[in-house]
Amino acid sequence: ANKRQKTSKGSNSNPIEFFKSQYGTMQKKPDNQSVEEANADNTSENVRIWVQYNEGFSNAVRKNVTWSSLWQ
Amino acid sequence: MPAVTISVSKLQNLFQEGDGTTIATPLGNTLLEIQGDLQFPSEPPSNDEDERFSEYEEENVVRFGVLSFDSEYKKATLYVGEKQRLLGSVVKLETPLGLLKFDHETNRVELEDVINYKVIFKERPLPIM
């Protein structure tokens, strides 16, 4: 990272043009890329099935049972 | 105080067959216990490439995994989704579990099955292979 900073300070005009061109190429890409990425996200998120593991297990305190709790 | 009798008519077949040591009861029920929460999309996604979602008796069904079972060692492996593998064991229940169905429409209680074994997965999920 240091080396890059030094070279950019050393010559002013070249880096700016370089970054401008980089920016230009970046601007062209996003349309296609973002759409593809969004699709990829959808597929991976929609069909994700997993077990969220519990470190331990707990049994709650027993409580009384009412008639309505059986017929929920 | 209301009262209702528990109907056991369905279980005649069960006692005729006798209980095996398989993980499924003769009536076709299995108890699967996982130390954790099973996470899956509640709605079938638009692009279901793996064909995990289907409909059975007008209910949405998710094919969330595959259970394989070694009867000799009472060990079981559960593959969940595409990335998880759980190691578990087949355990005999200390007290058999009666599966009761409380039917609102007919106001009747039916004994659906008696479960003697469960497959339990207590271990942390492993990556597949």
Side-chain angles (χ1 to χ4, degrees), chain A residues 39 42-43 45-57 67 70-72, chain B residues 2 35-37 39 41 45 47 52 81 84 102-104 107-108 122-125:
Chain A
N39 281 343
N42 275 342
T43 52
E45 275 192 21
N46 278 339
V47 290
R48 262 177 71 200
I49 300 171
W50 76 104
V51 166
Q52 192 179 340
Y53 181 70
N54 289 346
E55 290 296 330
F57 74 95
W67 183 263
L70 293 174
W71 295 89
Q72 272 175 356
Chain B
Q35 187 174 308
D37 300 324
Q39 305 281 1
N47 40 4
R52 287 187 175 274
Q84 285 185 326
F102 289 75
D103 196 332
H104 282 258
N107 267 1
R108 290 182 54 181
K122 301 191 246 191
E123 312 259 320
R124 188 178 290 280

